[in-house]
Structures are given as C-alpha cells and as structure tokens.
Amino acid sequence: MSLVQSLPQGPLDIVGDIHGEFEALVSLLGHLGYDSDGKHPAGRRVVFLGDFVDRGPDSIAVLELARRWIRTGHAVAVLGNHEINLLREDAKDGSGWFFDERLEKDRKKYTFVRRPQPQERTWIVEFLSGLPVALERDDLRVVHAVWNDTLIDRARTVPAGHIREQYDAWEEIALREAAVGDLRRRLDEEAGLWTHDLEDPQRQPPFLPALAELEYSKQMTNPLKITTSGAEAIIDPDVTQPFYSGGKWRFVRRLGWWDDYADDVPVVVGHYWRTVRKRTVPPEGSFNQDLFGGLNPNEWHGLRGNVFCVDFSVGAKWKERSDGVVGSTNARLAALRWPERTLMFDDGHAQATEGFLVPCEPRN
C-alpha cells in the first residue's frame, strides 16, 4: 500500500479536524448514530480528515478512539499537518500535551488534561506512521488540505509507513535550495535585525523577505507538505502586513487551490477553519482571511463547485472556553454525510449543504 489508499464503499460520515476535543467528538458520533464501538445500524463508516491532536484538552482519547475504530474496520483516516509535526518531532503551538519543550509555553493558553506515558508515546507514533495522506474512490476524494493530481501521484510512490523519511527528504531539498545564493546571508541579517520571538503576539515584526522566501520554498517544494498543510504565496507587504495566526507571525498566506480544481470528482478537505456563521474576521488559528469570503458556511466552493471544507474551527474552542463563552458557539466539530451531502454538528444540529456543482468566483 502507498500513502494514497482506497475509500471504503457505502455511505460515509467525514469528520473534520478534531484538535483534541474528545467530548465534541463523542457527541458528534452519537448524533450520527454510532455506538461506542463504532458500529452504525445503517452500516455507515467514519472518515477522519486528520488533525486529531493539539490545542484541545485530550488528544490521547481522540487517538485511542480513532485507532480502535480503524482497527475494527468502522473508520478510516488521513494524516493532517499536526500529525506530521508530531511524527517529525517538530514541536509547534498547541503540542505541549506531547512535547515537553512546548509544555510551559502552551500552558499559558491551553488546558491539557492528559499527557502520554512512555508506552502511549510508542503506540501513538506507530499508529500515525501507518496512516495515508489521501483516500479515493470513483465518486469522492478525501485529503486534509490539497488535492492536486501531480502531487497526489508523487505521494502514490511512497509506501505506507514511510511518510517521515520521504517528508524529510523533500524538506532537505528545500533547505539545500535555500543555501544556494545569498538567502542564507539575508536570513542571518534579518535574525540580527529582529531578535524577538515570532510567537510573541505583542511584537509585530516588519516584513522579513528572506524568511518569507524560506517559508514559501519549504512549503511549495515538498508535495507531502502541500497536501497536508496547503498551498501558499508570499504576502505583498504593500497590501498586507505580517499577521499573527496559529501561534506565530505569518509572512505567507494560504491559497484557495480549489479555484483551479477542474476535475469531476468531488473533494472533501479540512484544515481551513470555516465557522458556522458568516464571519467578518478569520477565526483564531486561521490564516486564510478571505478564502470563504461571501460564502455561506454550508456552501460548496471551487471552480466546479465540488470542493467542501468540513473544518468548522473546533480548534478554536479553547479560546471560547478561555473567554467564558457558553451555549451556542462559532467553533464546532462537524461531519459531512456522503452521499447525502448534509452536515451534522456536535450539538446535534443537521443542515443540508448548498451550491453543489455551482461554480464559485475565485477568492485568492
């Protein structure tokens, strides 16, 4: 098997990014009709879109449930960028539940109720290492962030279980390219000019062109990185200043790849932080300010109107808890039911989607 595998046949419930919100996951699965073992009276199966972990209170419980249901054939899953970070031992914002070096900094924002014991670390890495990055069948494609035929075909060449080795190999190519020319010198100069922590929200840096070039090169050279964390472009400093999102200052912005997706087969993704109500500002953690501008939260998008993002920003629930928000919130866990094309939210609210196969105006 490779990193691109087959979706099971039959009706599916495609669950968006969970980010350690175990209670929301259990509630959603109950409303979808699954029992605690993952069985569904109609024979439906769950598809997890990745980003199981980080930020929320109990990433371990989320992974335990997903592993158990996958083992018994009641679910399948793809990797998200947060799982890639874990496998590569790349400790980033919100990962203090797993990485000791992030714990002190993350505790200022997040409340982790559980951290792994040594034996739990072992099975977590083994479980995540075996997951693919994309799933497909004739009528549907599933990936965490980007479906691009060329990139997906490159992922097909990577055997399952070897994602870290191949990811690191492509990452090394980007770093070697960065060493050519004067980029390394300019990076060193910028480091001397701006010595503050780029995770400090109180200190906005100036536009750092060399750092922006490095971020862009690392993102767009690695097929597995694009597939799991998106296509990006360097911001225009005359239009957009560096902005704080996802725990650090950003010099690149996300692109809506679906504006160029011309294939007939629908694609379901997570990653991009939609909200259950139309928004005027991006949700906490997002840096896709206008990718869904003008769209209803239940609307399909893209060149052919056949792409749907089912990440409804449950990864921002920690912020709502911190702010004392209760009851109806704008940070939800959701599932897209296929082939019905209806949404189910963790509070039991169901909603039909709209705009399927209706082309959308580009928003990049």
Side-chain angles (χ1 to χ4, degrees):
M1 290 193 296
S2 79
L3 291 182
V4 181
Q5 298 176 15
S6 297
L7 269 171
Q9 297 301 311
L12 304 171
D13 294 307
I14 308 166
V15 177
D17 306 26
I18 303 166
H19 285 299
E21 297 291 345
F22 182 65
E23 289 186 5
L25 175 61
V26 171
S27 179
L28 174 63
L29 294 173
H31 288 302
L32 289 168
Y34 294 87
D35 68 17
S36 59
D37 293 323
K39 297 177 183 178
H40 194 281
R44 305 182 71 91
R45 281 189 273 191
V46 169
V47 180
F48 293 111
L49 275 174
D51 278 9
F52 296 101
V53 301
D54 296 348
R55 299 194 177 100
D58 203 343
S59 293
I60 301 173
V62 171
L63 291 172
E64 286 174 334
L65 184 148
R67 182 178 69 151
R68 182 163 51 88
W69 286 27
I70 289 171
R71 281 181 166 179
T72 56
H74 298 305
V76 292
V78 297
L79 290 166
N81 54 302
H82 284 254
E83 287 77 51
I84 298 287
N85 293 340
L86 187 153
L87 291 174
R88 300 186 65 241
E89 302 175 69
D90 187 4
K92 291 185 177 180
D93 178 71
S95 64
W97 70 276
F98 193 83
F99 294 110
D100 292 343
E101 59 265 42
R102 284 291 323 185
L103 184 57
E104 182 177 354
K105 182 175 284 188
D106 280 353
R107 272 181 171 161
K108 298 174 183 177
K109 296 167 62 175
Y110 308 112
T111 303
F112 303 124
V113 300
R114 185 176 168 195
R115 302 189 73 233
Q117 299 298 313
Q119 65 273 20
E120 291 175 317
R121 293 177 180 274
T122 299
W123 73 251
I124 287 170
V125 171
E126 290 177 350
F127 165 58
L128 295 177
S129 295
L131 295 181
V133 297
L135 298 165
E136 60 184 348
R137 69 187 200 192
D138 290 345
D139 66 331
L140 187 64
R141 293 166 171 172
V142 169
V143 70
H144 183 67
V146 173
W147 190 286
N148 173 282
D149 287 337
T150 300
L151 301 178
I152 293 295
D153 284 344
R154 295 184 74 180
R156 291 183 202 280
T157 67
V158 183
H162 293 269
I163 188 165
R164 175 171 180 172
E165 299 97 303
Q166 187 58 64
Y167 192 106
D168 287 348
W170 277 324
E171 194 86 344
E172 183 60 30
I173 291 173
L175 293 174
R176 286 202 303 268
E177 290 179 353
V180 176
D182 67 345
L183 181 57
R184 175 51 57 191
R185 175 187 59 79
R186 292 188 291 121
L187 285 167
D188 291 340
E189 289 178 354
E190 286 181 356
L193 292 172
W194 187 257
T195 59
H196 302 293
D197 187 352
L198 289 174
E199 291 191 10
D200 184 351
Q202 305 304 317
R203 294 182 180 272
Q204 181 179 16
F207 179 68
L208 302 174
L211 183 56
E213 288 178 37
L214 178 62
E215 288 184 351
Y216 174 80
S217 175
K218 289 172 64 177
Q219 187 71 27
M220 301 304 288
T221 300
N222 187 337
L224 294 176
K225 193 165 191 173
I226 301 173
T227 301
T228 56
S229 61
E232 297 177 357
I234 297 173
I235 63 173
D236 181 349
D238 293 330
V239 176
T240 304
Q241 290 301 302
F243 55 94
Y244 193 83
S245 184
K248 70 175 185 179
W249 290 96
R250 304 281 180 173
F251 304 90
V252 296
R253 62 184 181 88
R254 286 178 175 161
L255 298 175
W257 59 273
W258 43 79
D259 291 334
D260 299 309
Y261 179 73
D263 291 4
D264 292 332
V265 183
V267 181
V268 181
V269 299
H271 190 60
Y272 293 100
W273 295 79
R274 297 183 94 161
T275 50
V276 296
R277 295 185 292 274
K278 277 190 175 181
R279 65 180 184 233
T280 56
V281 296
E284 176 72 28
S286 172
F287 62 109
N288 59 304
Q289 294 93 324
D290 56 359
L291 292 187
F292 302 111
L295 288 178
N296 291 323
N298 62 332
E299 194 169 351
W300 290 76
H301 45 96
L303 179 68
R304 302 282 298 276
N306 63 350
V307 178
F308 195 89
C309 174
V310 71
D311 175 9
F312 281 86
S313 302
V314 77
K317 191 173 282 290
W318 69 269
K319 184 69 166 54
E320 293 186 339
R321 283 193 293 266
S322 177
D323 293 342
V325 175
V326 295
S328 179
T329 76
N330 211 26
R332 289 291 183 192
L333 184 62
L336 178 72
R337 314 201 83 174
W338 185 267
E340 299 88 347
R341 302 196 307 274
T342 59
L343 287 169
M344 177 67 75
F345 292 93
D346 59 69
D347 61 352
H349 173 65
Q351 185 176 24
T353 61
E354 61 184 44
F356 184 59
L357 301 183
V358 178
C360 294
E361 292 293 325
R363 287 168 172 78
N364 283 337

Short mmCIF file of all heavy atoms in Angstrom, two decimals, residues 160-187:
data_model
loop_
_atom_site.label_atom_id
_atom_site.label_comp_id
_atom_site.label_asym_id
_atom_site.label_seq_id
_atom_site.Cartn_x
_atom_site.Cartn_y
_atom_site.Cartn_z
N ALA A 160 3.26 3.13 2.34
CA ALA A 160 2.68 3.41 3.65
C ALA A 160 3.69 3.07 4.74
O ALA A 160 4.41 2.08 4.64
CB ALA A 160 1.40 2.61 3.84
N GLY A 161 3.74 3.90 5.76
CA GLY A 161 4.68 3.68 6.85
C GLY A 161 5.99 4.40 6.68
O GLY A 161 6.86 4.34 7.57
N HIS A 162 6.19 5.10 5.56
CA HIS A 162 7.46 5.77 5.29
C HIS A 162 7.28 7.27 5.10
O HIS A 162 8.10 7.91 4.45
CB HIS A 162 8.12 5.16 4.05
CG HIS A 162 8.57 3.75 4.24
ND1 HIS A 162 9.84 3.43 4.68
CD2 HIS A 162 7.92 2.57 4.10
CE1 HIS A 162 9.96 2.12 4.77
NE2 HIS A 162 8.81 1.58 4.43
N ILE A 163 6.25 7.83 5.71
CA ILE A 163 5.97 9.23 5.44
C ILE A 163 7.04 10.14 6.02
O ILE A 163 7.44 11.12 5.39
CB ILE A 163 4.58 9.63 5.95
CG1 ILE A 163 4.25 11.05 5.47
CG2 ILE A 163 4.47 9.51 7.46
CD1 ILE A 163 2.81 11.40 5.58
N ARG A 164 7.55 9.83 7.22
CA ARG A 164 8.54 10.74 7.78
C ARG A 164 9.81 10.77 6.94
O ARG A 164 10.35 11.85 6.68
CB ARG A 164 8.89 10.36 9.22
CG ARG A 164 10.01 11.25 9.75
CD ARG A 164 10.31 11.12 11.20
NE ARG A 164 11.40 12.03 11.54
CZ ARG A 164 11.82 12.28 12.77
NH1 ARG A 164 11.23 11.69 13.80
NH2 ARG A 164 12.82 13.10 12.98
N GLU A 165 10.28 9.61 6.52
CA GLU A 165 11.52 9.58 5.73
C GLU A 165 11.37 10.38 4.44
O GLU A 165 12.25 11.16 4.09
CB GLU A 165 11.90 8.13 5.38
CG GLU A 165 12.17 7.25 6.59
CD GLU A 165 10.97 6.43 6.98
OE1 GLU A 165 9.91 7.02 7.25
OE2 GLU A 165 11.10 5.18 7.02
N GLN A 166 10.25 10.19 3.73
CA GLN A 166 10.09 10.89 2.47
C GLN A 166 9.84 12.38 2.68
O GLN A 166 10.34 13.22 1.93
CB GLN A 166 8.94 10.29 1.66
CG GLN A 166 8.82 10.85 0.26
CD GLN A 166 10.08 10.65 -0.56
OE1 GLN A 166 10.48 9.53 -0.84
NE2 GLN A 166 10.75 11.75 -0.93
N TYR A 167 9.07 12.71 3.70
CA TYR A 167 8.82 14.11 4.02
C TYR A 167 10.14 14.82 4.31
O TYR A 167 10.40 15.91 3.78
CB TYR A 167 7.88 14.20 5.23
CG TYR A 167 7.31 15.57 5.50
CD1 TYR A 167 5.98 15.84 5.22
CD2 TYR A 167 8.07 16.58 6.06
CE1 TYR A 167 5.43 17.08 5.48
CE2 TYR A 167 7.54 17.83 6.33
CZ TYR A 167 6.21 18.07 6.04
OH TYR A 167 5.67 19.30 6.30
N ASP A 168 10.96 14.21 5.13
CA ASP A 168 12.25 14.82 5.48
C ASP A 168 13.16 14.94 4.26
O ASP A 168 13.91 15.91 4.14
CB ASP A 168 12.94 14.00 6.57
CG ASP A 168 12.29 14.16 7.93
OD1 ASP A 168 11.45 15.06 8.08
OD2 ASP A 168 12.62 13.37 8.84
N ALA A 169 13.09 13.97 3.35
CA ALA A 169 13.92 14.03 2.15
C ALA A 169 13.52 15.22 1.29
O ALA A 169 14.39 15.96 0.78
CB ALA A 169 13.79 12.74 1.35
N TRP A 170 12.23 15.43 1.10
CA TRP A 170 11.78 16.59 0.32
C TRP A 170 12.06 17.89 1.06
O TRP A 170 12.34 18.92 0.46
CB TRP A 170 10.30 16.44 -0.02
CG TRP A 170 10.08 15.57 -1.23
CD1 TRP A 170 10.86 15.51 -2.35
CD2 TRP A 170 9.01 14.65 -1.45
NE1 TRP A 170 10.34 14.61 -3.25
CE2 TRP A 170 9.20 14.06 -2.73
CE3 TRP A 170 7.90 14.26 -0.70
CZ2 TRP A 170 8.33 13.12 -3.26
CZ3 TRP A 170 7.04 13.32 -1.23
CH2 TRP A 170 7.24 12.76 -2.49
N GLU A 171 11.98 17.87 2.38
CA GLU A 171 12.31 19.06 3.16
C GLU A 171 13.78 19.42 3.00
O GLU A 171 14.15 20.60 2.91
CB GLU A 171 11.98 18.81 4.64
CG GLU A 171 11.95 20.04 5.49
CD GLU A 171 10.60 20.74 5.46
OE1 GLU A 171 9.78 20.45 4.57
OE2 GLU A 171 10.39 21.59 6.32
N GLU A 172 14.63 18.42 2.95
CA GLU A 172 16.06 18.65 2.78
C GLU A 172 16.35 19.30 1.43
O GLU A 172 17.26 20.14 1.32
CB GLU A 172 16.82 17.34 2.91
CG GLU A 172 18.34 17.47 2.82
CD GLU A 172 18.93 18.36 3.89
OE1 GLU A 172 18.36 18.43 5.01
OE2 GLU A 172 19.96 19.01 3.61
N ILE A 173 15.61 18.93 0.42
CA ILE A 173 15.78 19.56 -0.90
C ILE A 173 15.51 21.06 -0.80
O ILE A 173 16.27 21.88 -1.34
CB ILE A 173 14.84 18.90 -1.93
CG1 ILE A 173 15.29 17.48 -2.21
CG2 ILE A 173 14.80 19.72 -3.22
CD1 ILE A 173 14.32 16.70 -3.08
N ALA A 174 14.46 21.43 -0.11
CA ALA A 174 14.14 22.85 0.06
C ALA A 174 15.24 23.59 0.81
O ALA A 174 15.61 24.72 0.46
CB ALA A 174 12.81 23.01 0.80
N LEU A 175 15.78 22.96 1.84
CA LEU A 175 16.84 23.60 2.62
C LEU A 175 18.12 23.74 1.80
O LEU A 175 18.82 24.75 1.90
CB LEU A 175 17.11 22.80 3.89
CG LEU A 175 15.96 22.78 4.92
CD1 LEU A 175 16.30 21.84 6.06
CD2 LEU A 175 15.70 24.18 5.43
N ARG A 176 18.41 22.75 0.96
CA ARG A 176 19.59 22.86 0.09
C ARG A 176 19.42 23.98 -0.91
O ARG A 176 20.37 24.73 -1.18
CB ARG A 176 19.84 21.53 -0.63
CG ARG A 176 20.42 20.44 0.24
CD ARG A 176 21.13 19.38 -0.60
NE ARG A 176 20.25 18.79 -1.59
CZ ARG A 176 19.52 17.68 -1.40
NH1 ARG A 176 19.57 17.07 -0.21
NH2 ARG A 176 18.76 17.18 -2.34
N GLU A 177 18.22 24.11 -1.44
CA GLU A 177 17.98 25.19 -2.38
C GLU A 177 18.10 26.55 -1.70
O GLU A 177 18.56 27.52 -2.31
CB GLU A 177 16.60 25.03 -3.02
CG GLU A 177 16.50 23.84 -3.97
CD GLU A 177 15.11 23.68 -4.56
OE1 GLU A 177 14.20 24.43 -4.13
OE2 GLU A 177 14.94 22.83 -5.45
N ALA A 178 17.69 26.62 -0.43
CA ALA A 178 17.80 27.87 0.31
C ALA A 178 19.25 28.26 0.54
O ALA A 178 19.58 29.44 0.68
CB ALA A 178 17.07 27.76 1.64
N ALA A 179 20.14 27.26 0.59
CA ALA A 179 21.55 27.53 0.83
C ALA A 179 22.25 28.08 -0.41
O ALA A 179 23.35 28.63 -0.33
CB ALA A 179 22.25 26.26 1.29
N VAL A 180 21.61 27.92 -1.58
CA VAL A 180 22.19 28.43 -2.82
C VAL A 180 21.96 29.94 -2.90
O VAL A 180 20.90 30.43 -2.55
CB VAL A 180 21.56 27.72 -4.04
CG1 VAL A 180 22.08 28.32 -5.33
CG2 VAL A 180 21.83 26.23 -3.98
N GLY A 181 22.93 30.66 -3.38
CA GLY A 181 22.79 32.10 -3.50
C GLY A 181 22.97 32.79 -2.17
O GLY A 181 23.71 32.31 -1.30
N ASP A 182 22.26 33.90 -1.97
CA ASP A 182 22.50 34.72 -0.79
C ASP A 182 21.37 34.65 0.23
O ASP A 182 21.32 35.46 1.15
CB ASP A 182 22.72 36.18 -1.20
CG ASP A 182 21.46 36.82 -1.78
OD1 ASP A 182 20.52 36.08 -2.13
OD2 ASP A 182 21.43 38.06 -1.88
N LEU A 183 20.48 33.66 0.09
CA LEU A 183 19.36 33.60 1.03
C LEU A 183 19.84 33.37 2.45
O LEU A 183 19.33 34.00 3.39
CB LEU A 183 18.38 32.50 0.61
CG LEU A 183 17.14 32.34 1.51
CD1 LEU A 183 16.36 33.64 1.60
CD2 LEU A 183 16.25 31.21 1.01
N ARG A 184 20.81 32.48 2.65
CA ARG A 184 21.30 32.23 3.99
C ARG A 184 21.89 33.49 4.61
O ARG A 184 21.65 33.79 5.79
CB ARG A 184 22.34 31.11 3.95
CG ARG A 184 23.02 30.81 5.30
CD ARG A 184 22.02 30.61 6.42
NE ARG A 184 21.08 29.53 6.12
CZ ARG A 184 20.00 29.31 6.84
NH1 ARG A 184 19.68 30.09 7.86
NH2 ARG A 184 19.19 28.31 6.53
N ARG A 185 22.64 34.24 3.82
CA ARG A 185 23.21 35.50 4.35
C ARG A 185 22.10 36.46 4.75
O ARG A 185 22.15 37.08 5.82
CB ARG A 185 24.10 36.14 3.29
CG ARG A 185 24.65 37.52 3.70
CD ARG A 185 25.39 38.20 2.58
NE ARG A 185 24.56 38.39 1.40
CZ ARG A 185 23.65 39.38 1.29
NH1 ARG A 185 23.47 40.23 2.28
NH2 ARG A 185 22.94 39.50 0.18
N ARG A 186 21.07 36.58 3.92
CA ARG A 186 19.98 37.51 4.22
C ARG A 186 19.17 37.04 5.43
O ARG A 186 18.69 37.87 6.22
CB ARG A 186 19.08 37.69 3.00
CG ARG A 186 19.80 38.43 1.86
CD ARG A 186 18.86 38.79 0.72
NE ARG A 186 18.40 37.64 -0.02
CZ ARG A 186 17.14 37.29 -0.17
NH1 ARG A 186 16.18 38.00 0.41
NH2 ARG A 186 16.81 36.23 -0.87
N LEU A 187 19.03 35.74 5.59
CA LEU A 187 18.36 35.23 6.78
C LEU A 187 19.13 35.59 8.04
O LEU A 187 18.54 35.99 9.06
CB LEU A 187 18.20 33.71 6.69
CG LEU A 187 17.13 33.17 5.74
CD1 LEU A 187 17.32 31.68 5.53
CD2 LEU A 187 15.73 33.47 6.28
#
